Amino acid sequence: MASPNAPPTTTANDSIVDDAPRFSVSPIPPNPLGEGRHIRTAAALVIGRPLSRNAFSDEILNGKTLDRNSNFFALYCFEHGIQLKRVEVIPDDESEIIEASRRMVRKYDFVITTGGIGPTHDDITYGSLAKSFNQPLVHHAETLRRMEALSRSRRLFSHSNEQQREAARRMALFPKDAEVIFVAEDVWVPVVRLEGRLCIFPGIPSLFQRMLTGLTPFLPLPPKNERPLRIQIFTERPESYIAPYLSSLQERFQKRVQVGSYPILGKGVFVSLIGGDPCGQKEDGKPLFLAEIASEVEQEIDGRVVSDEEIAEKKSENSRMVQSKF
């Protein structure tokens, strides 16, 4: 990491700036999975690089840095009807990045990496992934142009020496055959895609969230009518009391509806129902909707359907209560 006394230079953290020059967004490319195919499965590879400007390498794994990106990615996948199958956290280790990236690309339709794409010596994600897919690293001309335009707008060139500018240019050193996708007019850092499936993101949470959201038009997402619905019911009854009923409910609907229970210490239990809508047929042949199953669950466990906001509030209360005891 650069000395804190060094003159400023461009970093990924400078990617979104209010007074920055505006850039063009990339055109939508052909479907990388093939015409008519959609993303069904996903995985995330969180590389132990900083998630904030003041965090140091591998702090995810030693507990100093909270990984918010995988949580945001999980929410993104659910919202768009993608099954998130795996999240792995690995250190800045070339062999581990190579092994994990190859394995994930073979198994899943959409793989992301976060972290390790800055200007310092331990930002090895691009280089490791280039080796993983047998490609050399080359500077990407358009990314360099955008980086330099941002630097001029912030008058960084006049305060940076050649060594610092060369370090910044590491952030435009990509695998040769990668797709380079610019997803927003005010973000100079692109999403780099390999093998049509693996997308490389920075680790900074605000930038990761902005770029993942911006990538949406470039992804072959499932049609909206195929995306699942989630309904949650809260009950004050203990989990052991409602467990037999939930087991029988899951047996009735098997793979059509996922039934889960999540206790909140000293409060009660959230029961989650996830499925298509409709999620089956009644005995008379009419469609069965998830809301009808939820109504049954409410009666059987003496509960009520709750909103996402209420769930977040109860979980936050529970977290504060647990922390106060330690």
Side-chain angles (χ1 to χ4, degrees):
M1 180 169 286
S3 165
N5 296 319
T9 190
T10 304
T11 69
N13 205 43
D14 298 314
S15 300
I16 304 174
V17 182
D18 290 340
D19 59 350
R22 313 298 284 188
F23 303 112
S24 60
V25 174
S26 296
I28 304 298
N31 185 342
L33 300 181
E35 191 63 33
R37 297 186 61 190
H38 302 103
I39 294 171
R40 301 297 180 186
T41 59
L45 187 57
V46 182
I47 298 171
R49 243 320 262 173
L51 293 190
S52 70
R53 201 171 206 173
N54 299 318
F56 295 90
S57 185
D58 296 339
E59 288 200 353
I60 300 169
L61 293 177
N62 66 28
K64 288 187 178 179
T65 296
L66 176 66
D67 170 33
R68 288 184 281 164
N69 291 347
S70 58
N71 176 257
F72 185 85
F73 186 58
L75 294 171
Y76 180 91
C77 287
F78 181 82
E79 179 184 345
H80 291 93
I82 301 168
Q83 296 182 55
L84 178 58
K85 293 289 192 178
R86 191 170 189 87
V87 176
E88 290 188 22
V89 180
I90 62 174
D92 285 305
D93 181 273
E94 182 180 273
S95 63
E96 292 208 36
I97 295 172
I98 290 173
E99 185 281 325
S101 61
R102 286 176 175 171
R103 170 169 43 82
M104 288 184 169
V105 165
R106 284 195 302 269
K107 293 184 68 174
Y108 307 115
D109 300 327
F110 181 34
V111 180
I112 67 159
T113 71
T114 75
I117 63 169
T120 63
H121 69 281
D122 53 355
D123 288 302
I124 63 170
T125 298
Y126 287 137
S128 299
L129 292 174
K131 288 186 179 181
S132 182
F133 300 103
N134 303 309
Q135 298 180 29
L137 283 172
V138 296
H139 280 107
H140 187 257
E142 177 59 19
T143 302
L144 285 174
R145 186 190 72 78
R146 295 179 185 222
M147 181 194 304
E148 291 169 0
L150 174 65
S151 297
R152 285 193 298 271
S153 73
R154 302 192 68 193
R155 301 179 182 177
L156 295 182
F157 271 177
S158 61
H159 298 289
S160 301
N161 59 39
E162 180 55 33
Q163 187 177 24
Q164 290 163 338
R165 288 193 291 272
E166 184 58 35
R169 285 194 283 268
R170 281 171 50 86
M171 294 186 290
L173 199 57
F174 304 150
K176 181 181 179 182
D177 297 327
E179 291 179 82
V180 179
I181 304 171
F182 296 99
V183 299
E185 292 182 346
D186 56 348
V187 179
W188 69 266
V189 177
V191 175
V192 176
R193 182 160 65 186
L194 289 163
E195 304 296 304
R197 296 172 183 260
L198 187 149
C199 293
I200 307 169
F201 288 89
I204 301 163
S206 59
L207 185 55
F208 170 80
Q209 294 172 18
R210 177 71 180 280
M211 292 176 66
L212 177 60
T213 303
L215 186 66
T216 300
F218 298 86
L219 298 174
L221 297 171
K224 290 186 177 180
N225 63 355
E226 296 183 14
R227 298 176 189 179
L229 176 67
R230 174 164 50 199
I231 300 177
Q232 299 192 75
I233 301 100
F234 178 75
T235 178
E236 294 182 352
R237 292 182 176 180
E239 191 174 30
S240 58
Y241 189 91
I242 65 174
Y245 167 71
L246 297 182
S247 296
S248 67
L249 185 69
Q250 184 65 84
E251 179 66 24
R252 280 166 54 195
F253 293 104
Q254 298 186 6
K255 293 183 178 181
R256 290 177 294 164
V257 178
Q258 297 177 33
V259 181
S261 61
Y262 308 92
I264 300 295
L265 185 64
K267 298 289 185 181
V269 181
F270 287 109
V271 174
S272 171
L273 305 175
I274 299 176
D277 211 31
C279 53
Q281 285 187 334
K282 302 176 186 177
E283 292 182 358
D284 60 6
K286 293 181 179 180
L288 175 65
F289 293 96
L290 197 64
E292 295 176 273
I293 301 175
S295 179
E296 175 195 318
V297 174
E298 284 183 296
Q299 294 179 21
E300 292 290 338
I301 68 173
D302 191 24
R304 59 185 178 84
V305 172
V306 290
S307 66
D308 290 341
E309 292 75 17
E310 190 170 354
I311 294 168
E313 182 180 350
K314 284 188 179 292
K315 288 182 177 179
S316 179
E317 289 175 0
N318 183 69
S319 178
R320 289 194 297 270
M321 182 179 69
V322 172
Q323 289 175 3
S324 68
K325 291 185 177 182
F326 292 93

